[in-house]
Amino acid sequence: MGHGPAVKLGKDNASAYKTRLGVKMFIVYTLVYAIFVATNATNPKSMQEVYLGQTAAVLWGFGLIGLALVMAIIYNNLCTKAEITMNS
Amino acid sequence: MIYTQSPLAVGLFIFFVLFVLGLSFYLARRTSSAAGYYAAGGNIHWFTNGVAFAGDYLSAASFLGICGMIATAGYDGWMYSIGYLAGWVVALFLVAEPMKRLGKYTFTDALDSKFNSKSIQLAAAISTLLVSVFYLIPQMVGAGVLVQPLLGLPHWVGVCIVGVVVTIIVATAGMASTTYVQFFKGSLLLIMSTVVVISVLTRGLSTTPVNNGLPYHDFKTLHADAALNISEPGYLLTAGLDSEFGKAGFIKLSKDGEESIWQLVKTETGYQLEETLFETKRADGTKSFNGAAKEDGKFFPVGHIKELRINGEEVATTGPMGPFAYLSALKDSTIVLWGKKYVQDGDSTVAIFYQKPTPGARVLRPGLKFKVDNATGTEKFNFISLMLALFCGTAALPHILIRYYTVPSQAAARKSTIVAIAAIGFFYVLTLFLGMGAMTNGVINLTDNNMSAPLLALSFGVVLFAVISSLAFATVLGTVSGLIVAASGAVAHDLMDNFLGMHMTDAGKVRAGKIVAIIVGCIAIYLGIIFEGMNVSFLVGWAFAVAASANLPAILMLLFWKKTTAKGIASSVIVGLASSLGLILISPDMWVRYGYLPADAPVSFNSPALISIPLSFIALVVVSLLTQKDLVLEDSTEAAGA
């Protein structure tokens, strides 16, 4: 059948570790996102309160975008380390 | 009314089109094999692919739709940015590497990697086609919208230009040309959007915005006593409190033969009258804008600050500001937003746009578009369901998933996703400033807020407008080409080669893909023309809901639940597809389009994801548990073949 990668991939011994790590980090981000959505749905006025000169909603927005990038970088570093260690 | 054709814009547009066509013909020499055509040979650098991801993803909905929505509804528009970006977390942590490991050319390859099942091949190919077409419609409509101000051509010409150019791009070099077009477009979009935001911050805030050297229209306020005697001479009352206008909170006046509509605000002594803008649609289909033809320019661009405050003090202008100071000043100020009401005036329908001064802090939190304050259960359901669709949709979009096959390794797939998160996240931060800039710089066209970002650029001069408009057009070109590659792979590779077992040669697969690309391109042109006037963001939200319901449960369960069977996956795709599409078709928003009252729709919500995604998961689990025997057979076949 016509499946399987278009290019030949080497064996990746770190695959299981990366999957577990990905699931854990996904759960953390999903929880934060769920809290954000739930707060907007149940108590939207609290998003108008001001912290550090900005509304809570703006801080949440920057926070979620920034958190995604920070977690992505951490995930990549841990995955790269695992690939170096387990595939060498 | 608001636009003028610029030779520079036309020149840049033609240059860009010729450039991408030249690139496609150049790359065509490298795409003689199926791997070259469908996956760019699998040797694209991860950084290039990451930026191309951003190019693919930042479609007309992101650039035009979100900026327009922020410009008119504040933070609620930015909720789309937050939701879209969060969806990339799902792609990175759960989908990126397995997708690369399991698939070859299409999303169906990955789903079917373990089973070789005809039912999966058929269901996933149909899902890919339908989601791609859903996504294609708003892109093509967006192209038509852009071409009108940019080139002064009618909607259908814009759709045809995009359709023909994109079909040539895809039919010549497939994924290779699509990738490099996306890379250039994504890079330029980020750079030029940054330039506009820096210009916005350098200009700062003002209560009297200047638009490309033109002064902002001075919206008048009149006063009247309780019997509606107007204080300023010359005005005659033509439709009073007992008219349809009066019932809606407006009156119609006439001065020197010119009609105007005014919003009534009750005071202790009578009324304060606020000037409005209005669009009249007559029974014969013709329209007037503030009682005049479009070309007369009486339908003014809007968007201004009523009271500008810095550290509690009211000021007229701020001068250059940093990004946080800019948002902080907006939060403390009062911004004039615009409401919209319809009034039936004889055979004509009048859309009245009226001023709504709103505290900045209220604009910078949710609730102006999404009904979350004192919301009913249905309204909360709609909001949560939309946010779920945005979160789950990204990792299920076929034209995004196929980009994982263009890089050489799993690590490259992961790294390109991180580049995409950085680029897209940065762009979405910019959208807040672009949208708020349009809201306060007197550039919004109330009849079409999709043009807010290009018009904001126009307020800084025609050069920036020309560049941004051409880029917006390129945005459509890039996204459509990615969608056509996905759709052509679904037909040529999944249906013809795998499902129908036509067993084509490598060259035959490429030829089939190119023919399908031309057919899909023609269908896209047709759909783009017949859906003229449809809201761009509206359809994209639905495409996300359909993709998230049909594809994501199957992908996740295949990766994380060992008992998943082929029939379970096919059921999940079909149930997700049917339930999401079915709920959309009987939703209140669609009921209006059929000519019925939204309240009569069989369901009371518009966003189906909160029901269709769980249904898709349930279908997969139940059918998989009922067909465990198949799994045992598949395992033993694999063992025998090993």
Side-chain angles (χ1 to χ4, degrees):
Chain A
M1 84 181 131
H3 304 316
V7 288
K8 201 172 180 184
L9 300 175
K11 192 170 186 299
D12 185 9
N13 297 318
S15 185
Y17 167 81
K18 290 188 288 184
T19 303
R20 282 197 305 276
L21 180 66
V23 170
K24 283 178 195 163
M25 295 190 92
F26 166 75
I27 291 170
V28 171
Y29 193 87
T30 305
L31 278 175
V32 179
Y33 183 77
I35 293 168
F36 169 70
V37 174
T39 309
N40 282 314
T42 56
N43 188 12
K45 285 193 179 76
S46 67
M47 286 288 176
Q48 198 171 325
E49 283 175 23
V50 176
Y51 305 94
L52 304 169
Q54 306 296 335
T55 61
V58 168
L59 293 179
W60 263 103
F62 284 133
L64 276 165
I65 293 172
L67 181 66
L69 183 59
V70 169
M71 287 181 74
I73 292 167
I74 293 171
Y75 174 69
N76 184 53
N77 282 344
L78 293 174
C79 288
T80 307
K81 267 185 201 163
E83 281 164 350
I84 292 167
T85 316
M86 295 182 188
N87 292 334
S88 56
Chain B
M1 68 197 138
I2 287 167
Y3 320 119
T4 47
Q5 276 81 54
S6 140
L8 183 64
V10 176
L12 270 172
F13 166 80
I14 293 170
F15 169 77
F16 195 88
V17 167
L18 292 177
F19 173 74
V20 294
L21 287 177
L23 186 69
S24 300
F25 285 118
Y26 170 73
L27 291 168
R29 282 178 286 168
R30 287 165 49 177
T31 52
S32 54
S33 67
Y37 183 79
Y38 293 110
N43 57 14
I44 300 285
H45 189 271
W46 56 265
F47 183 81
T48 308
N49 199 52
V51 179
F53 258 133
D56 257 327
Y57 198 68
L58 299 176
S59 67
S62 284
F63 183 55
L64 301 176
I66 290 179
C67 292
M69 211 181 285
I70 295 172
T72 50
Y75 190 87
D76 280 347
W78 204 42
M79 292 286 277
Y80 275 88
S81 295
I82 295 166
Y84 284 142
L85 194 271
W88 279 93
V89 168
V90 184
L92 173 66
F93 293 149
L94 302 182
V95 174
E97 292 200 39
M99 214 58 194
K100 176 66 199 166
R101 194 169 61 240
L102 298 176
K104 188 174 186 182
Y105 302 145
T106 64
F107 146 75
T108 308
D109 285 341
L111 275 192
D112 198 30
S113 58
K114 214 174 129 188
F115 305 108
N116 193 21
S117 154
K118 295 285 179 198
S119 53
I120 290 181
Q121 288 158 13
L122 182 63
I126 291 172
S127 164
T128 301
L129 264 179
L130 283 177
V131 172
S132 299
V133 167
F134 247 85
Y135 218 100
L136 269 173
I137 299 169
Q139 307 303 328
M140 299 301 277
V141 171
V145 168
L146 272 166
V147 152
Q148 285 170 306
L150 191 64
L151 305 178
L153 298 170
H155 177 92
W156 69 269
V157 178
V159 173
C160 287
I161 292 173
V162 167
V164 170
V165 172
V166 163
T167 305
I168 294 171
I169 292 171
V170 177
T172 47
M175 200 58 171
S177 54
T178 301
T179 299
Y180 286 106
V181 167
Q182 298 290 37
F183 174 75
F184 285 117
K185 175 214 121 178
S187 311
L188 283 173
L189 189 63
L190 285 170
I191 292 167
M192 292 317 299
S193 298
T194 306
V195 170
V196 178
V197 168
I198 290 171
S199 305
V200 166
L201 295 174
T202 306
R203 175 187 278 170
L205 295 164
S206 161
T207 50
T208 51
V210 174
N211 186 351
N212 195 22
L214 299 172
Y216 188 63
H217 175 69
D218 182 22
F219 285 93
K220 282 184 185 161
T221 300
L222 302 178
H223 298 277
D225 61 19
L228 282 179
N229 294 307
I230 314 295
S231 57
E232 194 166 321
Y235 283 98
L236 292 173
L237 183 67
T238 55
L241 294 174
D242 53 351
S243 68
E244 291 300 316
F245 289 97
K247 287 172 195 164
F250 303 95
I251 58 167
K252 202 171 175 184
L253 302 178
S254 170
K255 187 182 181 187
D256 302 329
E258 280 188 16
E259 294 210 307
S260 52
I261 296 173
W262 300 76
Q263 183 194 6
L264 290 168
V265 182
K266 216 163 174 26
T267 61
E268 283 180 7
T269 56
Y271 295 98
Q272 184 174 301
L273 308 180
E274 299 288 353
E275 188 180 352
T276 70
L277 296 175
F278 57 100
E279 178 190 12
T280 308
K281 190 175 180 186
R282 302 185 195 93
D284 61 5
T286 57
K287 286 181 181 176
S288 69
F289 298 86
N290 267 18
K294 199 183 221 181
E295 304 72 46
D296 293 352
K298 289 201 170 174
F299 197 87
F300 311 103
V302 301
H304 69 281
I305 297 172
K306 192 173 184 186
E307 290 159 354
L308 177 59
R309 288 189 201 87
I310 298 282
N311 301 325
E313 277 184 36
E314 207 167 320
V315 296
T317 184
T318 62
M321 308 178 86
F324 291 106
Y326 186 86
L327 292 176
S328 184
L330 284 173
K331 164 190 65 77
D332 295 332
S333 302
T334 302
I335 302 167
V336 176
L337 301 181
W338 290 78
K340 184 180 184 182
K341 277 187 186 175
Y342 288 95
V343 172
Q344 198 62 38
D345 185 20
D347 284 347
S348 303
T349 305
V350 185
I352 304 172
F353 302 92
Y354 60 97
Q355 300 180 50
K356 286 198 313 183
T358 309
R362 180 73 186 80
V363 176
L364 288 171
R365 70 107 157 150
L368 291 177
K369 176 178 167 57
F370 303 126
K371 303 280 179 278
V372 287
D373 289 276
N374 307 315
T376 62
T378 304
E379 286 164 345
K380 283 184 182 171
F381 178 95
N382 263 329
F383 171 73
I384 294 170
S385 192
L386 175 69
M387 294 310 286
L388 180 69
L390 300 183
F391 187 59
C392 297
T394 301
L397 290 172
H399 72 292
I400 296 295
L401 293 175
I402 58 171
R403 190 152 288 294
Y404 284 121
Y405 307 136
T406 63
V407 288
S409 66
Q410 288 142 276
R414 181 180 74 238
K415 285 175 185 170
S416 63
T417 314
I418 294 165
V419 172
I421 289 176
I424 295 166
F426 177 65
F427 179 80
Y428 282 152
V429 168
L430 297 181
T431 58
L432 182 62
F433 294 94
L434 291 171
M436 295 306 291
M439 181 188 273
T440 54
N441 276 282
V443 299
I444 302 170
N445 172 9
L446 286 170
T447 61
D448 183 5
N449 67 29
N450 282 325
M451 282 301 288
S452 296
L455 289 174
L456 175 65
L458 180 61
S459 77
F460 294 101
V462 78
V463 176
L464 208 48
F465 170 71
V467 176
I468 288 289
S469 298
S470 304
L471 262 178
F473 200 80
T475 296
V476 177
L477 282 183
T479 306
V480 172
S481 55
L483 286 164
I484 291 184
V485 171
S488 93
V491 176
H493 178 66
D494 298 337
L495 286 180
M496 293 168 71
D497 194 35
N498 288 338
F499 180 70
L500 297 174
M502 290 168 79
H503 303 301
M504 290 177 280
T505 60
D506 215 39
K509 281 183 194 175
V510 175
R511 197 164 46 247
K514 290 180 177 182
I515 293 168
V516 173
I518 294 168
I519 295 168
V520 174
C522 293
I523 295 170
I525 291 172
Y526 173 71
L527 292 173
I529 292 170
I530 63 166
F531 279 94
E532 179 184 0
M534 203 116 168
N535 183 287
V536 170
S537 306
F538 184 71
L539 271 168
V540 169
W542 278 351
F544 267 69
V546 175
S549 309
N551 300 344
L552 193 70
I555 297 170
L556 293 185
M557 296 303 266
L558 172 76
L559 297 176
F560 298 105
W561 194 45
K562 285 181 180 167
K563 290 185 176 178
T564 302
T565 64
K567 284 176 183 152
I569 286 181
S571 310
S572 166
V573 172
I574 291 165
V575 168
L577 203 57
S579 59
S580 56
L581 281 174
L583 287 169
I584 286 169
L585 291 174
I586 58 172
S587 68
D589 276 348
M590 282 307 287
W591 230 239
V592 175
R593 290 175 193 279
Y594 305 145
Y596 303 119
L597 289 173
D600 294 339
V603 296
S604 56
F605 53 86
N606 284 307
S607 188
L610 204 49
I611 289 181
S612 51
I613 292 175
L615 270 182
S616 180
F617 271 112
I618 291 168
L620 189 145
V621 172
V622 170
V623 174
S624 292
L625 288 176
L626 290 173
T627 54
Q628 284 300 295
K629 238 189 250 173
D630 295 355
L631 200 60
V632 176
L633 278 175
E634 280 153 10
D635 286 347
S636 57
T637 312
E638 266 180 34

